[in-house]
Amino acid sequence: MSRTNIMSRTPLRLSMGGGGTDVESYYAARGSGAWLSGTINKFVQVTVLVNNLGGYIVKHGKKVEIVGRSGEIVHPLYREALGFMRMDEWTHRVYSSPGLEINAFSDAPTHSGLGVSGAITVGLLQILHWLRDSSIPPPQKIAEEAYHVEHDLAKSLNTGWQDQMIAAHGGIVSFEVKKGEKPTYQRLELDRHTLAELESNLILFGTKLEREQTANEALGEVHKKVKSASGKSNLDYLDEILEIGKRQKLALLNGEVREFGRLLHKHWEVKTRYAGPPDPIIAQAYEEAIDIGALGGKVIGASSKGAFMVFYCPYTEKGNLRRTMSKLGMVEIPWAFEFYGSQIVYND
């Protein structure tokens, strides 16, 4: 039997506005949700090797699982993706001694807030479609399947559509989802000056903190806080997040990049009220960044405690921001927008 080795490359993302309104508990209650995301040049690479060893070898993080059938895999994303694609049936039908070895490599930690799990699922489904069908569905279809695998089959019920949709489509994209429907999308065709200013003045830092929870667990904790001290529910706060996200989209389309930065600060104020106080190091970093001249910023991910922070900082103050964050132990992460979604990059 010939060995087949296939690799997909899927971009990670920055959540740019409206995050949290992509979750079913919000848009089912309010009728719709909308958010803005952008993919960056940090990636997840998934490889699948067809061999003659039989069964499955699944490597994720520092763990290796060796099992006979897909249903025996412990990791829910791999187990449910393989089951959804009926790979047990396919390997036995096509090969006499079937076996699949699956590896995933990421430029960021699993719980980084950059959409790693969604990127893995999208990239894996692309490969499995190519193996089984010799073709790949359109990005929207892949994203819908990945959401079904994670949300419905793997029971990641507190998470939303954002990660799978942006990983499949790539670029800077605005999404909307209505109750009982699938999301729709609009690519933001920004002029080159707006894009250059946005990319130059958004500065990404690694906090060296680790969010031990999955996104599903982090969002679950937030959802338990039904009422705040002021009597407002999380839905009320997410209404504000939704409106801020819509204003951020308009700001970018109108070339008002500094306004986008100021709206990041509005987002920070609302999110810290409903998601809880940030880690003291993150709170200090944000306060000092604003004092220096940053217009706004956010923790990337599902909570106010995360591995990455991004600030919008005008060019004249970027040096001061870098020095201050370095003193706090944070590391700047070079990045750029990536305008292609998940792709097969190797097939031998």
Side-chain angles (χ1 to χ4, degrees), residues 260-272:
F260 174 86
R262 285 187 283 267
L263 288 167
L264 281 177
H265 181 62
K266 295 289 186 183
H267 181 280
W268 169 273
E269 292 179 323
V270 175
K271 186 172 181 179
T272 52

Side-chain angles (χ1 to χ4, degrees), residues 122 125-127 129-131 133-139 141-142 342-344:
V122 167
L125 286 175
Q126 277 207 324
I127 293 175
H129 270 290
W130 184 255
L131 272 175
D133 308 325
S134 299
S135 64
I136 300 172
K141 179 66 173 175
I142 283 283
S342 185
Q343 302 177 80
I344 299 292

Side-chain angles (χ1 to χ4, degrees), residues 18-301:
T21 71
D22 61 315
V23 178
E24 187 176 16
S25 60
Y26 177 80
Y27 65 78
R30 292 302 203 234
S32 66
W35 64 98
L36 182 65
S37 294
T39 46
I40 62 175
N41 61 345
K42 307 299 176 188
F43 301 94
V44 163
Q45 295 183 112
V46 177
T47 63
V48 175
L49 173 67
V50 180
N51 58 41
N52 59 2
L53 299 177
Y56 297 91
I57 302 173
V58 181
K59 300 178 182 179
H60 49 89
K62 297 179 181 179
K63 297 181 180 179
V64 179
E65 297 189 50
I66 303 175
V67 300
R69 298 184 65 82
S70 62
E72 299 169 355
I73 297 171
V74 174
H75 195 293
L77 296 185
Y78 296 93
R79 181 184 67 242
E80 300 304 337
L82 290 163
F84 172 72
M85 294 295 294
R86 299 183 176 180
M87 295 309 292
D88 288 0
E89 299 174 20
W90 177 82
T91 52
H92 282 279
R93 186 175 71 250
V94 175
Y95 297 108
S96 57
S97 299
L100 295 181
E101 180 177 332
I102 303 171
N103 291 268
F105 310 91
S106 175
D107 289 339
T110 302
H111 301 157
S112 63
L114 296 176
V116 173
S117 294
I120 289 174
T121 309
V122 167
L124 177 58
L125 286 175
Q126 277 207 324
I127 293 175
L128 298 181
H129 270 290
W130 184 255
L131 272 175
R132 194 189 70 177
D133 308 325
S134 299
S135 64
I136 300 172
Q140 182 75 6
K141 179 66 173 175
I142 283 283
E144 291 171 3
E145 290 183 352
Y147 176 82
H148 173 62
V149 166
E150 290 196 57
H151 184 269
D152 303 325
L153 302 181
K155 303 301 181 184
S156 185
L157 299 178
N158 295 317
T159 58
W161 286 92
Q162 177 169 199
D163 295 352
Q164 300 86 1
M165 294 296 293
I166 193 61
H169 285 284
I172 302 174
V173 187
S174 171
F175 298 95
E176 182 178 8
V177 62
K178 296 180 179 179
K179 181 180 178 180
E181 299 181 12
K182 302 291 177 60
T184 58
Y185 66 96
Q186 175 193 358
R187 291 189 176 277
L188 268 61
E189 303 295 342
L190 305 181
D191 67 68
R192 60 188 181 90
H193 298 292
T194 298
L195 181 61
E197 184 178 353
L198 180 65
E199 194 171 79
S200 174
N201 292 343
L202 282 176
I203 308 178
L204 182 65
F205 292 95
T207 66
K208 295 186 179 180
L209 299 175
E210 292 188 10
R211 191 187 75 195
E212 296 180 357
Q213 299 168 306
T214 65
N216 186 57
E217 292 166 341
L219 284 166
E221 282 196 2
V222 172
H223 294 165
K224 288 177 183 177
K225 302 171 185 176
V226 179
K227 294 284 185 179
S228 68
S230 66
K232 294 180 70 172
S233 72
N234 284 335
L235 293 178
D236 296 326
Y237 286 121
L238 286 170
D239 289 342
E240 295 183 55
I241 294 291
L242 177 68
E243 291 307 313
I244 292 170
K246 290 179 178 179
R247 291 168 61 190
Q248 287 175 303
K249 173 185 173 180
L250 288 176
L252 291 180
L253 289 174
N254 293 331
E256 299 169 351
V257 185
R258 290 176 67 90
E259 177 64 11
F260 174 86
R262 285 187 283 267
L263 288 167
L264 281 177
H265 181 62
K266 295 289 186 183
H267 181 280
W268 169 273
E269 292 179 323
V270 175
K271 186 172 181 179
T272 52
R273 290 203 301 271
Y274 83 84
D279 183 276
I281 293 176
I282 288 177
Q284 181 183 357
Y286 191 85
E287 182 178 348
E288 293 194 22
I290 296 298
D291 288 343
I292 286 168
L295 299 185
K298 63 179 298 186
V299 175
I300 303 298

